[in-house]
Amino acid sequence: MTVMTKPDHTTGRATVSALALSPATAKPDLISVEQAKAMDVARMTDLFKAHLNPGQLHFMKLLGFHKIKIERAEGMFYIDQNGRKILDFFGGFGSLAFGHNHPRLLEARKKFQEEKRQEIAIAFMSQYAAALAHNLAKCSPGDLDMVFLGSSGSEAMEAAVKLAERAAGPKRPKIVYAENSFHGKTKGVLAITDGSLYRADFKMADNVMRIPFGDVEAVERTFRSDPEVGVIVLETVQGGGGIIQAPAEYWQKLRALCDQYGVLWVADEVQCGYGRSGRFYAFEHYGVVPDVTALAKSLGGGKAAVGAMIARREVYMKAYGTPKTAMIHAMATFGGMGEACVTSIEALNVLYDEGLIDNAAVTGDYLLQRLQTLREKYPKIIKEVRGKGLMVGLEFHDFSQTLPMVLRPVVSVLDDKLKGSLSGFVGALLLRDYDVLVAFTEYNRNVIRLEPPLICQREHVDRFVEALDSLLSRGIVSIVKDFVKSQVR
């Protein structure tokens, strides 16, 4: 580009003529915030297919989710484009402990913005990150008091596993994990996530060992036979596995074995923690404390993406306790952002001020009781009800077992292919006919996953159970017919 200059007669310096500069960068055809808000379902579908995940759209259509545009959300409910209120028993896989748009969290964020406080202050210490770390340490038992802040459960678990591996040392590099585990989709923790769908054909780390979940004898055999094992990573309650728990004796023996063999225990509480089980951490039910743990989901109050690793000081210092090692895994750019930390600080205070941990225990027991009654009413449909607090799994029988006896032998050969179909039919019809949203589990597709906000009350439980009762009373044949009709409308 040729730049024209003209002399400055006052100073003798050459100046660049504004007319000679290149024109301003052209603005692309961007969608504004108001246009996004006003977008209709058809346009949303086109953009989702074009730019997000066209394969996922297939499953959304099966469940009827693609017909809904959520306009706003408050408390226990989504509100769609037609003003329909949808009861949320999905809870964003446990990320909505406070329901939607809790007023105290909105107020804390609004005040932060109005006062123009710092959001990213990487060069300086953050009073908000420091306060959040202090609060997490106070909420954690034992000497779990060293905190790493990130933006997701996967990031928190990556930090937890890296910390434990370094603390265990190079002579003990092997990491034990459980069958049907889910610890995240990022590359590191994918190696200890036991799902062929997520692993696909990625190259996994080769220092991992898989054992059955809840089998303490398998733990002991592994520790005893391989002195290179330095870390064991377990969800306290397996979420993706179908809301699976191990008995108290398992966790107590596990803690003793880890102490005996010098193995570090990482407890993944990303989904089951933060009060959901009726305790702040699910492992607290068993009177034990891990060496490292991780939280996310509701830690950001449903308004910010926040994850955290919390470790015992002794373990943390082994890994990163010197100036030479301190920056090996320091916070990333968006770890400890100001408004996110303020949201989390306020959320923790709300959690205790409103008694939501206790409410999860009491209301969760009520939900389990009502579902057990329903299982007794429909024993050929509902196989099992299980869970703790407001983390509940409702497992259906294989499809053939729900049908009349004469049809079972014929259909049973298709059970594996049909696995998850009944839970999908029920979930789709609960949404369409009863305005209730539920979730599913990754590995056992026969399980409906219930993780409503911790603000859930008995009246919400009653509405959900009554809707499910009404739906199941139609009978399996009618449920299938109703679902098929919904696909051709």
Side-chain angles (χ1 to χ4, degrees):
M1 179 182 72
T2 302
V3 178
M4 303 297 294
T5 63
K6 60 181 180 179
D8 183 332
H9 297 293
T10 304
T11 63
R13 295 177 296 181
T15 60
V16 179
S17 169
L19 296 176
L21 294 175
S22 298
T25 302
K27 182 179 180 180
D29 183 18
L30 303 179
I31 296 171
S32 71
V33 172
E34 286 304 312
Q35 288 171 329
K37 179 183 175 183
M39 192 179 295
D40 62 21
V41 171
R43 177 68 167 148
M44 289 165 58
T45 302
D46 289 343
L47 294 181
F48 193 97
K49 185 186 299 183
H51 303 298
L52 285 171
N53 194 328
Q56 185 179 357
L57 187 61
H58 165 76
F59 297 103
M60 297 178 78
K61 286 182 176 179
L62 281 178
L63 296 169
F65 292 177
H66 70 297
K67 299 176 183 178
I68 295 171
K69 176 189 175 185
I70 299 301
E71 294 285 4
R72 60 190 184 89
E74 184 175 356
M76 288 289 298
F77 296 92
Y78 289 102
I79 297 92
D80 76 358
Q81 71 271 33
N82 301 312
R84 178 171 65 139
K85 295 180 70 175
I86 299 169
L87 179 63
D88 186 5
F89 260 61
F90 170 24
F93 293 121
S95 62
L96 290 161
F98 306 95
H100 299 272
N101 290 307
H102 192 287
R104 277 182 57 177
L105 303 185
L106 295 181
E107 182 59 30
R109 291 168 68 85
K110 180 182 177 183
K111 189 173 182 181
F112 183 94
Q113 295 163 12
E114 289 176 346
E115 295 178 359
K116 297 181 179 178
R117 294 182 240 162
Q118 79 277 13
E119 187 66 271
I120 297 176
I122 300 171
F124 310 101
M125 290 186 291
S126 165
Q127 62 268 52
Y128 307 115
L132 177 56
H134 167 272
N135 287 358
L136 286 171
K138 287 294 185 182
C139 292
S140 302
D143 55 351
L144 288 168
D145 60 4
M146 298 299 290
V147 177
F148 169 89
L149 296 174
S151 304
S152 70
S154 291
E155 188 181 0
M157 282 303 298
E158 293 279 1
V161 173
K162 286 179 68 178
L163 173 84
E165 185 176 336
R166 270 192 62 80
K171 293 183 179 180
R172 307 190 67 176
K174 293 186 179 179
I175 299 170
V176 176
Y177 71 100
E179 293 176 355
N180 292 322
S181 60
F182 183 89
H183 298 292
K185 299 176 187 175
T186 50
K187 193 63 161 58
V189 292
L190 194 58
I192 54 173
T193 289
D194 187 32
S196 58
L197 172 67
Y198 304 121
R199 287 178 166 230
D201 54 359
F202 295 110
K203 172 67 176 176
M204 296 294 106
D206 59 6
N207 64 325
V208 299
M209 304 171 66
R210 185 181 67 168
I211 63 172
F213 180 71
D215 185 342
V216 77
E217 292 180 358
V219 174
E220 186 165 17
R221 283 195 305 270
T222 304
F223 287 4
R224 185 174 61 245
S225 63
D226 195 337
E228 290 191 349
V229 171
V231 180
I232 184 167
V233 184
L234 300 167
E235 296 161 273
T236 315
V237 180
Q238 287 192 325
I243 317 299
I244 305 299
Q245 303 173 75
E249 299 77 32
Y250 171 81
W251 299 108
Q252 292 156 5
K253 182 65 173 176
L254 172 73
R255 179 69 273 177
L257 288 170
C258 287
D259 293 339
Q260 179 182 345
Y261 288 94
V263 175
L264 297 175
W265 167 26
V266 177
D268 183 344
E269 293 259 340
V270 166
Q271 191 170 151
C272 62
Y274 203 80
R276 180 152 295 279
S277 73
R279 298 284 183 90
F280 188 80
Y281 293 105
F283 60 72
E284 291 183 274
H285 287 282
Y286 312 117
V288 290
V289 180
D291 300 291
V292 188
T293 190
L295 294 170
K297 301 297 184 185
S298 288
L299 183 56
K303 299 300 296 182
V306 184
M309 174 207 74
I310 308 97
R312 293 174 51 229
R313 175 173 292 273
E314 178 186 358
V315 176
Y316 182 91
M317 296 303 285
K318 282 182 180 179
Y320 308 129
T322 68
K324 185 177 180 179
T325 60
M327 301 304 291
I328 290 175
H329 199 89
M331 280 194 296
T333 305
F334 300 119
M337 288 181 69
E339 189 173 330
C341 286
V342 163
T343 308
S344 293
I345 291 167
E346 184 69 356
L348 279 168
N349 279 278
V350 171
L351 187 69
Y352 288 95
D353 290 346
E354 297 190 359
L356 297 184
I357 298 176
D358 295 335
N359 185 65
V362 173
T363 307
D365 283 346
Y366 181 64
L367 173 60
L368 285 165
Q369 290 167 15
R370 291 225 54 192
L371 289 175
Q372 289 290 1
T373 301
L374 214 57
R375 186 187 68 81
E376 293 167 6
K377 186 175 181 180
Y378 303 102
K380 294 181 180 180
I381 300 176
I382 300 176
K383 179 180 180 179
E384 187 178 1
V385 174
R386 55 182 177 264
K388 192 176 289 292
L390 287 173
M391 186 174 183
V392 174
L394 179 70
E395 183 172 359
F396 294 112
H397 285 289
D398 283 336
F399 199 80
S400 66
Q401 301 305 303
T402 68
L403 297 173
M405 190 68 70
V406 67
L407 296 175
R408 290 183 187 181
V410 178
V411 179
S412 63
V413 297
L414 299 173
D415 272 340
D416 189 58
K417 290 184 178 180
L418 292 173
K419 194 172 287 290
S421 56
L422 181 55
S423 60
F425 298 162
V426 169
L429 294 175
L430 279 173
L431 179 61
R432 190 194 73 177
D433 297 343
Y434 299 94
D435 302 335
V436 175
L437 179 66
V438 298
F440 311 96
T441 62
E442 285 87 345
Y443 303 142
N444 187 343
R445 290 168 291 161
N446 283 346
V447 177
I448 282 182
R449 178 176 359 197
L450 306 172
E451 297 184 52
L454 305 191
I455 63 170
C456 183
Q457 301 296 311
R458 290 170 70 101
E459 65 193 77
H460 303 120
V461 171
D462 290 340
R463 175 174 164 182
F464 163 70
V465 174
E466 288 162 11
L468 183 59
D469 186 9
S470 174
L471 177 57
L472 296 182
S473 71
R474 301 180 190 179
I476 294 301
V477 174
S478 292
I479 288 173
V480 173
K481 287 181 178 178
D482 290 342
F483 177 80
V484 171
K485 288 178 182 177
S486 73
Q487 297 300 299
V488 297
R489 286 178 182 174

